Amino acid sequence: MIVNFWVTLGIKMALVLGVMLVGALVSIFGELKISAHMQSRIGPYFAGGRWGWAQPLADGLKFIQKEEIIPDTVDVRVFKLAPYVVLMGTMAIYVVIPFGPDMVAGNLDLGVFYVLAISSISTVGVLMAGWSSGNKYSLMGGLRAAAQLIAYELPLVLAVVGVVILAGTLSLNGIVEAQAQWQWFGVTPEWLNVIPPYLILQAVGFAIFLTASLAELSRTPFDMPIAESELVMGYLTEYSGLRFTMFFLGEYAGMVALAAIASTLFLGGYWLPFVSDDLLNFIGPVVLITKIALLVFLFIWMRWTFPRLREDQLQQLAWRILIPVALANIVVTAVLKVVF
């Protein structure tokens, strides 16, 4: 029994790691091509032939071969550990993402709580990187990141509460099933749920979740912790070689993970009308990946469209707009849940 447990655990961890790496590499390639198209450039076209599909692999190989430079002023242990903490927090999210009724590494009853809690580990990693670098730009970037992630963690959590109220469960599988079985005015035909019900009922929460996700990822227009024109590269300034690659990989893996969570909470996840549960174990991953791809495209589109916010604008958006609106959404959702 003990051997079977460790074998099963090893297989699940390998699958989670594989999904995370493939998702991150595909997202990097997508960003290269989409940003090039938006700016009327060619984009990658050499590595991997005409489409340049091997460019992310070539970039990764390049960074791995680079010398890792560690300044004398850093706290070596914390400095080296920080990228692993960031990547670990991102990887842990993939464990509970359901790709089908039975296709999930860990089906937790408190899946939503787990996701929101474990995603905060990345904040600790960023603070570790900024503090341990022994560089004033890195320290400022780390402090900015901490302030930003704390501010936008609140609307991210509050945006999910409305979904939990409607579904009546914290399980991600349960939330998908609740959307599949949602009744519109007492009528239950599946074709009414072709458009995921929570996308309509929680449109405000969906918009808040996506905005807060961008801020959690520190992507433009919320890239104040890095801000090359102000802080060189923020908390990444002193990193090079493989460890810089791990931060870079963690950003794109996190983007895919948050897109997967948003798809599960608001877009019906792996569910597809008129398809049995047995068939969903085969079709479900394709359905979920399609929804993830649409949201990742939206994240990339936002990055290459909007300018960077000022620090005061960034904080005002969170505390004066997103949090009050999210609280109002919770109140309205709770009232409607009781009434209807």
Side-chain angles (χ1 to χ4, degrees), residues 15-260:
L15 288 174
V16 169
L17 182 61
V19 170
M20 184 186 74
L21 291 176
V22 171
L25 291 173
V26 172
S27 299
I28 293 171
F29 173 72
E31 176 133 51
L32 292 173
K33 298 299 287 188
I34 293 170
S35 61
H37 179 73
M38 293 181 69
Q39 296 179 338
S40 299
R41 295 186 285 107
I42 297 175
Y45 66 92
F46 183 78
R50 178 182 176 185
W51 292 97
W53 61 269
Q55 187 63 48
L57 297 176
D59 288 339
L61 183 61
K62 176 190 68 174
F63 279 114
I64 291 174
Q65 294 179 8
K66 284 187 173 182
E67 179 185 3
E68 183 179 5
I69 301 173
I70 301 180
D72 295 333
T73 55
V74 306
D75 185 320
V76 179
R77 290 184 179 180
V78 179
F79 182 82
K80 290 184 175 182
L81 185 61
Y84 293 99
V85 173
V86 171
L87 204 58
M88 180 180 65
T90 301
M91 180 180 175
I93 298 176
Y94 284 82
V95 174
V96 295
I97 297 174
F99 287 85
D102 302 316
M103 294 188 65
V104 57
N107 185 11
L108 303 180
D109 292 336
L110 298 176
V112 173
F113 180 81
Y114 168 84
V115 167
L116 296 175
I118 206 71
S119 62
S120 301
I121 291 180
S122 298
T123 308
V124 178
V126 170
L127 273 174
M128 290 169 61
W131 177 83
S132 65
S133 294
N135 181 301
K136 62 181 180 181
Y137 294 112
S138 298
L139 180 59
M140 290 175 65
L143 293 176
R144 278 188 179 186
Q148 177 171 316
L149 295 177
I150 291 172
Y152 282 88
E153 192 76 25
L154 289 172
L156 189 75
V157 172
L158 295 174
V160 174
V161 173
V163 171
V164 173
I165 291 173
L166 291 177
T169 178
L170 287 170
S171 168
L172 292 175
N173 284 74
I175 290 173
V176 174
E177 294 171 3
Q179 294 182 73
Q181 299 168 4
W182 183 260
Q183 295 184 1
W184 293 97
F185 306 105
V187 182
T188 58
E190 286 185 312
W191 63 269
L192 283 178
N193 290 341
V194 171
I195 299 176
Y198 292 176
L199 177 61
I200 299 173
L201 299 171
Q202 288 297 308
V204 174
F206 181 58
I208 294 173
F209 188 90
L210 292 185
T211 304
S213 296
L214 279 174
E216 288 282 305
L217 295 168
S218 298
R219 289 175 61 85
T220 309
F222 302 100
D223 62 335
M224 293 302 296
I226 297 175
E228 297 95 330
S229 59
E230 301 173 22
L231 301 181
V232 188
M233 274 294 284
Y235 60 89
L236 298 175
T237 299
E238 300 294 355
Y239 281 92
S240 59
L242 181 60
R243 285 185 170 81
F244 176 83
T245 307
M246 293 176 67
F247 277 112
F248 189 68
L249 190 65
E251 176 188 339
Y252 285 92
M255 182 168 62
V256 175
L258 287 174

